[in-house]
Amino acid sequence: MDENAGPATASGGRRPGEVPLLLATVFRDMSDHLHTRLAELGREPLRPAHGYAFRYLADHPHATTVGLAAHLGVTKQSASKTVGELADWGYLRRRPHPTDRRAQILRLTDRGQEYLRLADTLWAEAEQRWADLIGADRLTAVHDALRAYVDHLPDGRRTGLRPVW
């Protein structure tokens, strides 16, 4: 921890405002680990935006590029680039929209579904590394605390993983 970051409080050395930064650091390390493992397995150079797109598409069977762009908080052109990459790699397919000729329905392929299962396995590895460090009981307590926080978010804020950029 940065010694010049300010005084610690009396509650176990925790500084006010430090928890979100620690969560971000842990998430970054776990994400880096996931991407290292994907490279070791010879997978495509997926970026975090791809992972957010996978999760969105898995949960939205009638997804369009416009909906994906809104979810990711990017332009339609940027989302189209992501869709093109995932389609080129065989992770998703585009189908004509039943009521809008300008739109396409985006669906994960079997390969895309398999990638999600692999990602879940790799995230579980990262989680296990944390459990090995702090103990399963403490990790369960962290999980329960985070779940309680998420469960108290307004409905619109807890409807899926979204990027923070």
Side-chain angles (χ1 to χ4, degrees):
M1 202 48 56
D2 183 1
E3 296 174 17
N4 300 319
T9 66
S11 60
R14 184 172 63 84
R15 291 189 318 272
E18 186 176 22
V19 170
L21 299 175
L22 291 171
L23 287 171
T25 301
V26 170
F27 179 69
R28 177 59 189 252
D29 180 71
M30 288 181 167
S31 295
D32 289 348
H33 177 76
L34 177 121
H35 289 280
T36 297
R37 291 285 291 124
L38 287 170
E40 289 170 358
L41 295 170
R43 300 307 285 254
E44 292 79 8
L46 298 176
R47 299 183 311 277
H50 293 117
Y52 291 113
F54 272 96
R55 297 291 174 185
Y56 179 79
L57 295 172
D59 292 340
H60 296 84
H62 301 289
T64 63
T65 302
V66 170
L68 178 62
H71 176 75
L72 296 176
V74 299
T75 65
K76 182 181 175 221
Q77 292 77 11
S78 180
S80 292
K81 180 180 179 201
T82 299
V83 165
E85 290 169 335
L86 294 176
D88 289 347
W89 289 326
Y91 289 123
L92 72 78
R93 67 178 178 274
R94 302 173 202 153
R95 297 285 184 250
H97 193 282
T99 61
D100 184 349
R101 287 189 214 187
R102 297 168 298 162
Q104 296 177 324
I105 298 293
L106 309 175
R107 292 261 173 93
L108 291 176
T109 62
D110 290 343
R111 179 178 162 92
Q113 294 291 339
E114 183 274 327
Y115 172 81
L116 274 179
R117 288 188 295 275
L118 173 61
D120 287 343
T121 297
L122 297 178
W123 283 120
E125 282 181 14
E127 192 174 287
Q128 185 59 51
R129 286 175 50 225
W130 199 0
D132 292 345
L133 179 67
I134 68 170
D137 290 345
R138 289 175 72 193
L139 185 59
T140 296
V142 169
H143 170 271
D144 293 347
L146 293 172
R147 172 56 48 204
Y149 188 99
V150 169
D151 287 348
H152 282 87
L153 292 173
D155 285 342
R157 299 285 310 266
R158 62 180 130 120
T159 56
L161 186 62
R162 299 177 59 119
V164 294
W165 48 69

